[in-house]
Amino acid sequence: KVREAIALSIDRKQIIDTVALGNGDQTGPIPPALPQYALPVSDYDLYRRDVGKAKQLLQEAGVGPVSITILTQTTEPVYAKDIAQIVQQQLGEVGIQVNIELLELGQWVQRWLKADFDMAPGLNSGQPDPDFYLFRYFTNDGNLNFVHSYQNDTSSDAIKRARTIADPVRRRELYATAQKELVAGVPFVWLYVGRDYVGLQPTTKGFVHLPTGSIAYLRQTWLDK
C-alpha cells in the first residue's frame, strides 16, 4: 500500500515538462517506442495522480510517518537530481518525507550493486525486444532482481514464457500480463522516455536513427559532396 501511495503521488507530466522541457512521453515497463508490445499508460489506474487516495492508503498501511531517502547520482543521467527534487515535492504533498542523498556516479553504482538504498532514479530498457530488460529485472530469479527483491509469479512466468515463443500475438498477450502486474505491484515507478534528436546535413547519406540510441549506422554513413 505504501508503494501504491507513492505511485499515486507522482505527476509524470510535471516531471516531463520540467526535466525534459516537454520532450518526453509517459511510459510503463515497456516503452511506447515498441508499440507492438507496450500497453498505453491510460490502462494503468496508478498513473492517475490522486493525493487523497494516496493519503488513505498510507493510513490503511498503518506504518506511521514515512521517510524515504532517494539515492541520486550526479551524472548518467545528469538530470537525476532534478527528478529527485520534483519527486520530493510531490511525495511531500501526501505526507511522505523524502531526503536526497547525492553521490558521484561510481559511489552510486557501488550502493546500487549492494541494493543499499530506498529509492533511486535510473535509466533502463532501450532495446528492440522487451526480453532484454524485463527478464533480468523482473523474473523471480533474474540476475538483477536483487536490486528490488520483488517477487511475482504471474509476471515472472509470463516473461519467461514470452522468450520461448515466436508468435508475436501470443508474446503480446504475455507481455500485457507482465506489464499490468508490474505496474500494480510497483517494484519500479516508471516515469517517461525522452525524445532523441539527431541533426544531419543534407549531404549526409546512409545514416539510420535508431530508437535505442545506437550509432552503429555510422559505419555506412557517407557524405554526398
Side-chain angles (χ1 to χ4, degrees):
K1 288 186 176 182
V2 172
R3 294 200 307 275
E4 290 175 4
I6 290 171
L8 286 169
S9 305
I10 299 297
D11 182 345
R12 290 168 178 79
K13 186 177 185 305
Q14 182 186 14
I15 293 173
I16 293 170
D17 289 345
T18 305
V19 177
L21 302 178
N23 291 296
D25 298 283
Q26 296 185 43
T27 186
I30 298 177
L34 300 178
Q36 68 273 42
Y37 297 119
L39 293 177
V41 295
S42 58
D43 286 3
Y44 303 135
D45 291 339
L46 290 179
Y47 275 52
R48 301 181 185 95
R49 190 171 197 249
D50 190 330
V51 171
K53 187 174 181 181
K55 290 180 177 179
Q56 178 185 338
L57 285 168
L58 290 174
Q59 289 181 340
E60 292 175 1
V63 293
V66 177
S67 178
I68 292 172
T69 297
I70 300 181
L71 187 67
T72 310
Q73 60 272 48
T74 53
T75 57
E76 294 189 36
V78 294
Y79 49 81
K81 59 183 178 297
D82 301 319
I83 291 177
Q85 289 170 350
I86 297 172
V87 169
Q88 181 185 51
Q89 171 255 316
Q90 292 177 353
L91 267 60
E93 293 176 22
V94 302
I96 298 176
Q97 178 182 342
V98 176
N99 305 304
I100 297 174
E101 184 177 358
L102 188 64
L103 290 179
E104 179 273 327
L105 182 61
Q107 295 175 308
W108 182 90
V109 169
Q110 291 304 310
R111 290 276 296 277
W112 183 89
L113 288 171
K114 297 175 183 177
D116 180 20
F117 59 90
D118 299 330
M119 295 177 67
L123 291 170
N124 297 282
S125 193
Q127 297 296 325
D129 190 277
D131 177 78
F132 181 82
Y133 168 56
L134 296 182
F135 191 90
R136 297 185 303 160
Y137 276 100
F138 301 111
T139 53
N140 289 348
D141 53 355
N143 68 309
L144 294 180
N145 181 275
F146 73 91
V147 174
H148 48 76
S149 299
Y150 176 73
Q151 299 285 296
N152 183 316
D153 291 340
T154 301
S155 55
S156 179
D157 291 346
I159 294 166
K160 288 182 176 181
R161 290 172 63 192
R163 70 162 25 189
T164 68
I165 295 172
D167 178 11
V169 174
R170 185 66 184 120
R171 291 190 88 214
R172 185 181 304 118
E173 294 171 352
L174 291 167
Y175 282 132
T177 296
Q179 289 172 90
K180 291 175 183 176
E181 288 289 321
L182 291 172
V183 170
V186 205
F188 281 23
V189 176
W190 289 273
L191 299 176
Y192 74 96
V193 289
R195 297 183 188 141
D196 193 33
Y197 297 96
V198 173
L200 303 173
Q201 293 283 0
T203 54
T204 303
K205 307 295 181 182
F207 183 77
V208 179
H209 184 199
L210 299 174
T212 62
S214 169
I215 56 172
Y217 278 90
L218 274 178
R219 296 189 185 99
Q220 65 183 48
T221 300
W222 57 286
L223 299 179
D224 185 17
K225 66 176 182 178

